[in-house]
Amino acid sequence: MNYKKYSKGYREQYLYQVFQRCVAQGLTAFQIKIVALVFMTLDHLASFGFEITVVAKYSLILWTVGRVAAPLFLFILIQSIQHTKSKTRFLLRLYVAGVCIGLLDTAVNFFAGEILGYRTPENIIFTFFTLFFMLSLSNSRYPPIKIEMFVFWL
């Protein structure tokens, strides 16, 4: 195998073999997160980089392709919920991450909102937190009427 390391096209052959394994075995959670991160970056580039000429030209395509990120992250969230040892700790970590990102968004909006010319949007972490919280309530001892009241309160 080492002799191929120096042959021409080895990197392309290796990447092709990795791609074939991924297609045959499916993607791991980490690989799905990387793909979702790339799609999210494309979406954010289309949303916030409209002043760049090249981005403005392809913004609709970037935005459309970038919309794949949220369902991928949601899929990873559902898989994480199913495989976590402590749902309470997982819910707490989601909440803390949402608060930290919310504080960062607030600071950016307060200090640089006028300079940047836009306000940062809401974060999806709180949406995932609410979804997980609702799923936890639906699987617990609470009757559905209380869940509907909670949704109405939101």
Side-chain angles (χ1 to χ4, degrees):
M1 186 101 175
N2 289 337
Y3 65 90
K4 288 184 178 180
K5 191 173 190 178
Y6 301 105
S7 66
K8 185 175 181 181
Y10 171 74
R11 182 176 297 158
E12 290 81 13
Q13 290 173 357
Y14 176 74
L15 290 175
Y16 181 74
Q17 289 172 356
V18 169
F19 176 75
Q20 289 297 332
R21 274 188 268 141
C22 288
V23 169
Q25 298 173 353
L27 296 174
T28 65
F30 179 75
Q31 291 167 337
I32 292 173
K33 288 178 193 176
I34 296 298
V35 169
L37 182 68
V38 168
F39 284 139
M40 181 185 67
T41 304
L42 293 176
D43 180 52
H44 283 68
L45 188 63
S47 297
F48 301 116
F50 50 84
E51 294 178 359
I52 304 169
T53 311
V54 176
V55 174
K57 185 176 179 181
Y58 299 107
S59 64
L60 183 62
I61 295 170
L62 292 173
W63 183 78
T64 305
V65 170
R67 293 287 133 174
V68 176
L72 289 175
F73 281 125
L74 184 61
F75 174 75
I76 292 298
L77 175 76
I78 299 299
Q79 290 296 316
S80 301
I81 290 170
Q82 290 178 348
H83 297 293
T84 188
K85 292 180 184 176
S86 174
K87 292 186 184 340
T88 307
R89 287 184 62 206
F90 189 80
L91 190 65
L92 180 65
R93 284 196 311 258
L94 266 178
Y95 180 75
V96 168
V99 167
C100 290
I101 292 175
L103 290 173
L104 181 67
D105 282 347
T106 303
V108 167
N109 287 336
F110 183 74
F111 293 112
E114 297 296 323
I115 297 170
L116 296 175
Y118 62 89
R119 301 285 185 186
T120 57
E122 298 81 25
N123 68 51
I124 198 167
I125 304 293
F126 274 130
T127 306
F128 287 162
F129 167 77
T130 306
L131 177 68
F132 182 37
F133 186 72
M134 298 305 293
L135 287 172
S136 298
L137 285 180
S138 69
N139 293 333
S140 67
R141 63 178 184 253
Y142 297 107
I145 188 72
K146 288 187 178 181
I147 296 171
E148 291 171 4
M149 289 173 61
F150 179 76
V151 170
F152 179 73
W153 177 73
L154 285 176

